[in-house]
Amino acid sequence: MSNLHTLRIDQTDKSGDGITGKLPSFNGMIKLRELSLSSNSISGVIPSNFLSGITDKSEPLEINLSFNNLSGSIPVDLKEFIAIDLNVVQNEISGIPDVLCSKSIWMNGEVGLVKSCDAIMCKPKFWSLSGRASYKKPCRDCPDRQFWGSTFCPTESDYPEQYDERRILAKVYASMDWDTTANWFVSGIEMCEFEGVTCDGSDGNASGIVALDFTSFGLSGTMVSDVFDLKKLNELMLNSVDIKLDKIGHATELHTLHISNANIKSLNGIGNAPPSLKTLHVSRNDFLTGTIPEELFMLDNLEVCTSMWHRLVLGLTINA
Protein backbone atom coordinates (compact mmCIF):
# COMPACT_ATOMS: atom_id res chain seq x y z
CA MET A 1 0.00 0.00 0.00
CA SER A 2 2.95 2.29 -0.53
CA ASN A 3 1.04 4.34 -3.14
CA LEU A 4 -2.01 4.92 -0.93
CA HIS A 5 -2.68 8.63 -0.35
CA THR A 6 -6.10 8.46 1.40
CA LEU A 7 -7.28 6.03 4.08
CA ARG A 8 -10.58 6.48 5.92
CA ILE A 9 -11.94 3.89 8.36
CA ASP A 10 -14.31 5.89 10.52
CA GLN A 11 -16.77 4.14 12.81
CA THR A 12 -20.41 5.06 12.07
CA ASP A 13 -22.24 1.99 13.43
CA LYS A 14 -22.96 2.98 17.01
CA SER A 15 -23.81 -0.59 18.01
CA GLY A 16 -20.17 -1.68 17.83
CA ASP A 17 -16.71 -0.59 18.88
CA GLY A 18 -15.21 -0.27 15.43
CA ILE A 19 -11.47 -0.85 15.15
CA THR A 20 -9.80 -2.04 18.35
CA GLY A 21 -6.19 -2.67 19.32
CA LYS A 22 -3.06 -0.54 19.05
CA LEU A 23 -2.39 2.17 16.48
CA PRO A 24 0.14 1.01 13.83
CA SER A 25 2.85 3.34 12.60
CA PHE A 26 1.74 3.60 8.93
CA ASN A 27 5.39 4.32 8.12
CA GLY A 28 5.15 2.25 4.94
CA MET A 29 2.64 4.62 3.36
CA ILE A 30 5.11 7.03 1.86
CA LYS A 31 2.53 9.02 -0.14
CA LEU A 32 -0.17 9.31 2.53
CA ARG A 33 -1.96 12.68 2.58
CA GLU A 34 -5.12 11.87 4.53
CA LEU A 35 -5.71 9.38 7.36
CA SER A 36 -9.03 9.21 9.22
CA LEU A 37 -9.71 6.62 11.93
CA SER A 38 -12.16 8.57 14.06
CA SER A 39 -14.77 7.23 16.48
CA ASN A 40 -13.22 3.79 16.86
CA SER A 41 -11.78 2.07 19.96
CA ILE A 42 -8.08 2.31 19.16
CA SER A 43 -5.95 2.31 22.31
CA GLY A 44 -2.35 2.73 23.42
CA VAL A 45 0.11 5.45 22.50
CA ILE A 46 0.75 7.02 19.12
CA PRO A 47 3.97 5.34 17.87
CA SER A 48 7.08 7.50 17.81
CA ASN A 49 7.61 6.59 14.14
CA PHE A 50 4.01 7.38 13.25
CA LEU A 51 4.01 8.48 9.57
CA SER A 52 7.80 8.63 9.51
CA GLY A 53 7.87 6.98 6.08
CA ILE A 54 6.17 9.89 4.31
CA THR A 55 8.81 11.27 1.97
CA ASP A 56 7.46 14.76 1.24
CA LYS A 57 6.86 16.40 4.60
CA SER A 58 6.22 19.80 3.10
CA GLU A 59 2.83 18.86 1.62
CA PRO A 60 -0.38 19.41 3.66
CA LEU A 61 -1.40 16.38 5.73
CA GLU A 62 -4.77 15.67 7.36
CA ILE A 63 -4.88 13.24 10.30
CA ASN A 64 -8.06 12.43 12.23
CA LEU A 65 -7.72 10.11 15.24
CA SER A 66 -10.45 11.77 17.27
CA PHE A 67 -12.83 9.94 19.61
CA ASN A 68 -10.68 6.90 20.33
CA ASN A 69 -8.90 5.64 23.46
CA LEU A 70 -5.39 6.83 22.65
CA SER A 71 -3.10 7.84 25.49
CA GLY A 72 0.35 9.31 26.08
CA SER A 73 1.89 12.29 24.33
CA ILE A 74 1.80 13.44 20.71
CA PRO A 75 5.06 12.23 19.08
CA VAL A 76 7.67 14.97 18.87
CA ASP A 77 8.84 13.60 15.50
CA LEU A 78 5.75 15.12 13.89
CA LYS A 79 7.66 18.41 14.02
CA GLU A 80 9.18 17.43 10.66
CA PHE A 81 5.86 18.11 8.94
CA ILE A 82 5.24 21.66 7.75
CA ALA A 83 1.44 21.70 7.58
CA ILE A 84 -0.71 19.19 9.50
CA ASP A 85 -4.36 19.35 10.42
CA LEU A 86 -4.08 16.98 13.39
CA ASN A 87 -7.34 16.00 15.06
CA VAL A 88 -6.76 13.90 18.19
CA VAL A 89 -9.49 15.35 20.40
CA GLN A 90 -11.54 13.31 22.86
CA ASN A 91 -8.88 10.71 23.62
CA GLU A 92 -6.72 10.41 26.76
CA ILE A 93 -3.78 12.44 25.51
CA SER A 94 -1.53 13.64 28.33
CA GLY A 95 0.84 15.98 26.55
CA ILE A 96 1.90 17.95 23.48
CA PRO A 97 5.63 18.74 22.94
CA ASP A 98 6.20 22.52 23.04
CA VAL A 99 7.95 22.46 19.67
CA LEU A 100 4.69 21.47 17.97
CA CYS A 101 2.93 24.50 19.44
CA SER A 102 5.15 26.83 17.44
CA LYS A 103 4.29 25.27 14.06
CA SER A 104 2.43 28.32 12.81
CA ILE A 105 1.05 26.72 9.64
CA TRP A 106 -0.42 23.73 11.47
CA MET A 107 -4.19 23.42 11.86
CA ASN A 108 -4.78 25.53 8.75
CA GLY A 109 -2.82 28.38 10.29
CA GLU A 110 -4.73 28.45 13.60
CA VAL A 111 -1.58 27.62 15.60
CA GLY A 112 0.00 30.83 14.33
CA LEU A 113 -3.12 32.84 15.12
CA VAL A 114 -3.83 31.37 18.56
CA LYS A 115 -0.11 31.24 19.46
CA SER A 116 -0.49 28.29 21.81
CA CYS A 117 -1.03 24.52 21.97
CA ASP A 118 -4.74 25.21 22.39
CA ALA A 119 -5.05 25.41 18.61
CA ILE A 120 -4.11 21.72 18.49
CA MET A 121 -6.09 20.67 21.56
CA CYS A 122 -7.50 22.38 24.63
CA LYS A 123 -5.19 21.70 27.57
CA PRO A 124 -6.39 19.80 30.66
CA LYS A 125 -8.95 21.71 32.76
CA PHE A 126 -10.24 23.40 29.58
CA TRP A 127 -12.66 22.44 26.82
CA SER A 128 -14.47 23.58 23.69
CA LEU A 129 -17.16 22.02 21.51
CA SER A 130 -14.48 21.22 18.92
CA GLY A 131 -11.89 20.15 21.50
CA ARG A 132 -9.51 22.90 20.46
CA ALA A 133 -9.31 26.65 20.13
CA SER A 134 -9.54 28.91 17.12
CA TYR A 135 -8.64 32.55 16.79
CA LYS A 136 -12.27 33.54 17.46
CA LYS A 137 -13.26 30.75 19.87
CA PRO A 138 -10.91 30.10 22.79
CA CYS A 139 -11.01 27.07 25.07
CA ARG A 140 -13.08 27.54 28.22
CA ASP A 141 -12.50 26.59 31.86
CA CYS A 142 -13.59 23.13 33.00
CA PRO A 143 -11.79 22.05 36.19
CA ASP A 144 -12.60 18.32 35.99
CA ARG A 145 -11.17 17.74 32.48
CA GLN A 146 -8.09 15.54 32.95
CA PHE A 147 -6.83 15.14 29.39
CA TRP A 148 -6.08 17.26 26.34
CA GLY A 149 -8.83 17.82 23.76
CA SER A 150 -12.08 17.69 25.75
CA THR A 151 -15.19 18.36 23.68
CA PHE A 152 -17.64 18.68 26.57
CA CYS A 153 -17.76 19.91 30.14
CA PRO A 154 -20.34 18.57 32.60
CA THR A 155 -19.83 21.57 34.86
CA GLU A 156 -19.97 24.26 32.18
CA SER A 157 -22.32 27.02 33.32
CA ASP A 158 -21.74 29.85 30.85
CA TYR A 159 -23.76 28.16 28.08
CA PRO A 160 -26.02 25.63 29.84
CA GLU A 161 -28.62 25.77 27.08
CA GLN A 162 -26.17 24.87 24.33
CA TYR A 163 -24.67 22.10 26.44
CA ASP A 164 -28.16 20.63 27.06
CA GLU A 165 -29.05 20.89 23.38
CA ARG A 166 -25.86 19.12 22.31
CA ARG A 167 -26.61 16.35 24.81
CA ILE A 168 -30.13 16.00 23.37
CA LEU A 169 -28.77 15.82 19.82
CA ALA A 170 -26.34 13.13 20.95
CA LYS A 171 -29.30 11.04 22.18
CA VAL A 172 -31.17 11.62 18.92
CA TYR A 173 -28.08 10.70 16.90
CA ALA A 174 -27.50 7.48 18.85
CA SER A 175 -31.13 6.36 18.65
CA MET A 176 -31.18 5.81 14.87
CA ASP A 177 -29.22 4.22 12.07
CA TRP A 178 -27.89 6.70 9.50
CA ASP A 179 -26.97 6.03 5.87
CA THR A 180 -24.95 9.21 6.07
CA THR A 181 -24.09 11.10 9.25
CA ALA A 182 -23.19 14.23 7.27
CA ASN A 183 -21.06 16.40 9.55
CA TRP A 184 -22.73 15.54 12.85
CA PHE A 185 -20.32 15.30 15.78
CA VAL A 186 -17.29 15.81 13.56
CA SER A 187 -14.66 17.53 15.64
CA GLY A 188 -14.31 21.17 14.68
CA ILE A 189 -17.97 21.47 13.65
CA GLU A 190 -20.15 23.42 16.06
CA MET A 191 -23.60 22.11 16.96
CA CYS A 192 -25.40 24.86 15.04
CA GLU A 193 -23.33 23.99 11.96
CA PHE A 194 -24.59 20.39 11.84
CA GLU A 195 -26.39 19.67 8.58
CA GLY A 196 -30.14 19.87 9.07
CA VAL A 197 -29.82 22.00 12.21
CA THR A 198 -30.99 25.61 12.23
CA CYS A 199 -30.35 27.89 15.20
CA ASP A 200 -31.77 31.32 15.93
CA GLY A 201 -28.47 32.95 15.00
CA SER A 202 -26.05 32.71 12.09
CA ASP A 203 -23.04 30.96 13.67
CA GLY A 204 -21.99 28.28 16.12
CA ASN A 205 -22.62 30.57 19.08
CA ALA A 206 -26.33 30.80 18.29
CA SER A 207 -28.50 30.48 21.34
CA GLY A 208 -31.07 27.84 20.50
CA ILE A 209 -32.08 25.18 17.96
CA VAL A 210 -35.24 26.30 16.15
CA ALA A 211 -35.49 23.73 13.34
CA LEU A 212 -34.38 20.19 12.57
CA ASP A 213 -34.58 18.62 9.11
CA PHE A 214 -33.75 14.90 9.05
CA THR A 215 -35.10 14.18 5.57
CA SER A 216 -31.73 13.82 3.82
CA PHE A 217 -29.90 11.26 5.96
CA GLY A 218 -31.51 7.92 5.06
CA LEU A 219 -32.56 7.23 8.64
CA SER A 220 -34.10 4.07 10.06
CA GLY A 221 -35.22 3.03 13.51
CA THR A 222 -37.07 5.02 16.16
CA MET A 223 -36.13 8.58 17.09
CA VAL A 224 -36.15 9.22 20.83
CA SER A 225 -38.82 11.63 22.00
CA ASP A 226 -36.12 13.65 23.78
CA VAL A 227 -36.00 15.74 20.61
CA PHE A 228 -39.06 17.55 21.97
CA ASP A 229 -36.97 18.71 24.96
CA LEU A 230 -35.37 21.31 22.69
CA LYS A 231 -36.97 24.38 24.23
CA LYS A 232 -36.91 26.62 21.16
CA LEU A 233 -37.78 24.03 18.53
CA ASN A 234 -40.22 25.54 15.99
CA GLU A 235 -40.09 22.95 13.19
CA LEU A 236 -39.31 19.24 13.00
CA MET A 237 -39.10 17.39 9.70
CA LEU A 238 -38.33 13.69 9.37
CA ASN A 239 -39.05 10.64 7.27
CA SER A 240 -38.25 6.92 7.28
CA VAL A 241 -38.32 6.62 11.09
CA ASP A 242 -40.82 6.10 13.87
CA ILE A 243 -41.10 8.61 16.71
CA LYS A 244 -42.94 8.56 19.99
CA LEU A 245 -44.99 11.66 20.76
CA ASP A 246 -45.15 11.34 24.54
CA LYS A 247 -42.95 14.41 25.06
CA ILE A 248 -44.37 16.62 22.33
CA GLY A 249 -45.85 18.97 24.92
CA HIS A 250 -42.32 19.84 26.08
CA ALA A 251 -41.65 21.65 22.78
CA THR A 252 -43.65 24.71 23.77
CA GLU A 253 -42.71 26.70 20.64
CA LEU A 254 -43.30 23.95 18.06
CA HIS A 255 -45.44 25.22 15.18
CA THR A 256 -44.69 22.73 12.35
CA LEU A 257 -44.40 18.94 12.58
CA HIS A 258 -43.69 17.16 9.30
CA ILE A 259 -43.52 13.37 9.66
CA SER A 260 -44.70 12.33 6.22
CA ASN A 261 -43.30 9.26 4.48
CA ALA A 262 -42.10 8.02 7.86
CA ASN A 263 -42.74 4.77 9.67
CA ILE A 264 -44.82 6.14 12.53
CA LYS A 265 -46.97 3.46 14.11
CA SER A 266 -49.12 5.63 16.34
CA LEU A 267 -50.18 9.22 16.90
CA ASN A 268 -50.77 8.55 20.58
CA GLY A 269 -49.86 11.67 22.49
CA ILE A 270 -50.49 14.14 19.66
CA GLY A 271 -53.29 15.63 21.74
CA ASN A 272 -50.64 16.89 24.15
CA ALA A 273 -49.05 19.04 21.45
CA PRO A 274 -48.50 22.65 22.54
CA PRO A 275 -50.97 25.36 21.52
CA SER A 276 -48.25 26.74 19.23
CA LEU A 277 -48.67 23.80 16.77
CA LYS A 278 -50.24 25.18 13.59
CA THR A 279 -49.17 22.75 10.86
CA LEU A 280 -49.15 18.93 10.93
CA HIS A 281 -48.17 16.71 8.01
CA VAL A 282 -48.53 12.94 8.55
CA SER A 283 -49.02 11.63 5.00
CA ARG A 284 -47.72 8.34 3.58
CA ASN A 285 -47.29 6.42 6.81
CA ASP A 286 -48.39 2.97 5.66
CA PHE A 287 -47.94 1.39 9.06
CA LEU A 288 -50.42 3.77 10.71
CA THR A 289 -53.62 1.73 10.87
CA GLY A 290 -56.97 1.79 12.59
CA THR A 291 -59.31 4.72 13.11
CA ILE A 292 -58.50 8.38 12.76
CA PRO A 293 -57.13 9.38 16.18
CA GLU A 294 -59.60 11.50 18.10
CA GLU A 295 -56.62 13.28 19.66
CA LEU A 296 -56.25 15.19 16.39
CA PHE A 297 -59.47 17.03 17.21
CA MET A 298 -57.98 18.21 20.49
CA LEU A 299 -55.62 20.49 18.56
CA ASP A 300 -57.75 23.62 18.67
CA ASN A 301 -55.07 25.89 17.17
CA LEU A 302 -54.15 23.61 14.26
CA GLU A 303 -54.54 25.41 10.91
CA VAL A 304 -53.12 22.90 8.41
CA CYS A 305 -53.34 19.10 8.65
CA THR A 306 -52.49 16.74 5.78
CA SER A 307 -52.93 12.99 5.92
CA MET A 308 -53.21 10.56 3.01
CA TRP A 309 -52.35 7.02 1.95
CA HIS A 310 -52.96 5.68 5.44
CA ARG A 311 -54.77 2.45 6.04
CA LEU A 312 -57.24 4.24 8.30
CA VAL A 313 -60.98 4.01 8.66
CA LEU A 314 -63.25 6.72 9.91
CA GLY A 315 -64.40 5.92 13.43
CA LEU A 316 -64.86 9.14 15.34
CA THR A 317 -67.03 9.54 18.36
CA ILE A 318 -68.41 13.07 18.61
CA ASN A 319 -69.96 14.14 21.86
CA ALA A 320 -72.86 16.51 21.59
Side-chain angles (χ1 to χ4, degrees):
M1 301 177 73
S2 60
N3 289 321
L4 194 70
H5 60 78
T6 301
L7 176 62
R8 303 189 190 102
I9 314 178
D10 300 314
Q11 165 69 350
T12 59
D13 182 0
K14 295 168 285 299
S15 64
D17 295 330
I19 301 172
T20 60
K22 307 297 182 183
L23 183 70
S25 68
F26 297 97
N27 58 1
M29 298 182 181
I30 61 176
K31 297 182 180 180
L32 192 65
R33 299 265 60 94
E34 180 182 351
L35 173 66
S36 185
L37 303 172
S38 69
S39 302
N40 285 286
S41 301
I42 304 171
S43 59
V45 301
I46 302 175
S48 59
N49 62 342
F50 182 60
L51 308 177
S52 62
I54 295 178
T55 52
D56 188 352
K57 295 180 171 59
S58 64
E59 288 293 316
L61 181 63
E62 185 174 344
I63 305 297
N64 188 353
L65 304 175
S66 63
F67 293 87
N68 278 283
N69 301 318
L70 295 168
S71 58
S73 180
I74 303 298
V76 68
D77 289 350
L78 292 180
K79 67 181 181 181
E80 303 300 326
F81 291 92
I82 303 300
I84 292 184
D85 185 352
L86 179 65
N87 188 346
V88 202
V89 304
Q90 207 54 49
N91 279 280
E92 297 180 358
I93 300 299
S94 57
I96 300 177
D98 289 341
V99 66
L100 303 185
C101 304
S102 61
K103 307 290 288 185
S104 61
I105 303 179
W106 275 34
M107 317 303 286
N108 296 311
E110 289 290 348
V111 172
L113 294 172
V114 176
K115 302 185 186 303
S116 80
C117 293
D118 284 356
I120 301 174
M121 283 188 288
C122 294
K123 62 177 67 70
K125 298 186 178 181
F126 288 84
W127 82 291
S128 77
L129 290 174
S130 64
R132 54 196 182 190
S134 68
Y135 180 66
K136 295 183 178 180
K137 297 177 183 178
C139 298
R140 306 186 64 82
D141 292 340
C142 188
D144 73 343
R145 297 296 85 187
Q146 181 180 357
F147 299 108
W148 288 78
S150 292
T151 60
F152 69 97
C153 178
T155 59
E156 173 67 16
S157 59
D158 287 344
Y159 298 108
E161 181 178 90
Q162 232 190 29
Y163 173 70
D164 286 343
E165 289 185 326
R166 187 178 177 89
R167 183 174 56 186
I168 291 167
L169 289 189
K171 289 183 180 180
V172 170
Y173 176 78
S175 69
M176 299 175 294
D177 294 321
W178 301 56
D179 280 349
T180 172
T181 55
N183 63 351
W184 279 51
F185 294 99
V186 174
S187 184
I189 305 297
E190 302 288 2
M191 175 187 69
C192 291
E193 296 169 346
F194 291 176
E195 291 183 34
V197 175
T198 302
C199 292
D200 60 356
S202 60
D203 57 32
N205 287 323
S207 58
I209 295 173
V210 296
L212 291 173
D213 183 352
F214 292 100
T215 58
S216 302
F217 301 119
L219 302 176
S220 60
T222 300
M223 180 181 291
V224 292
S225 58
D226 298 68
V227 69
F228 295 116
D229 286 329
L230 294 168
K231 297 178 181 178
K232 295 186 176 182
L233 186 65
N234 297 162
E235 183 176 5
L236 175 62
M237 300 178 64
L238 67 152
N239 57 21
S240 305
V241 295
D242 190 13
I243 185 171
K244 299 294 189 294
L245 301 173
D246 54 298
K247 289 188 175 182
I248 192 171
H250 295 190
T252 57
E253 298 185 17
L254 184 69
H255 65 68
T256 300
L257 180 60
H258 195 301
I259 46 179
S260 295
N261 198 31
N263 285 324
I264 55 172
K265 299 176 176 63
S266 171
L267 285 178
N268 290 343
I270 192 65
N272 296 319
S276 58
L277 187 65
K278 306 294 185 183
T279 302
L280 176 64
H281 298 287
V282 288
S283 297
R284 306 184 194 94
N285 288 287
D286 290 337
F287 295 104
L288 188 60
T289 62
T291 60
I292 296 176
E294 293 189 24
E295 286 188 69
L296 285 175
F297 295 89
M298 298 169 60
L299 305 177
D300 293 337
N301 295 323
L302 198 64
E303 298 176 356
V304 177
C305 180
T306 61
S307 176
M308 63 180 68
W309 296 5
H310 297 301
R311 285 175 277 177
L312 291 172
V313 297
L314 185 62
L316 296 178
T317 300
I318 301 187
N319 297 320

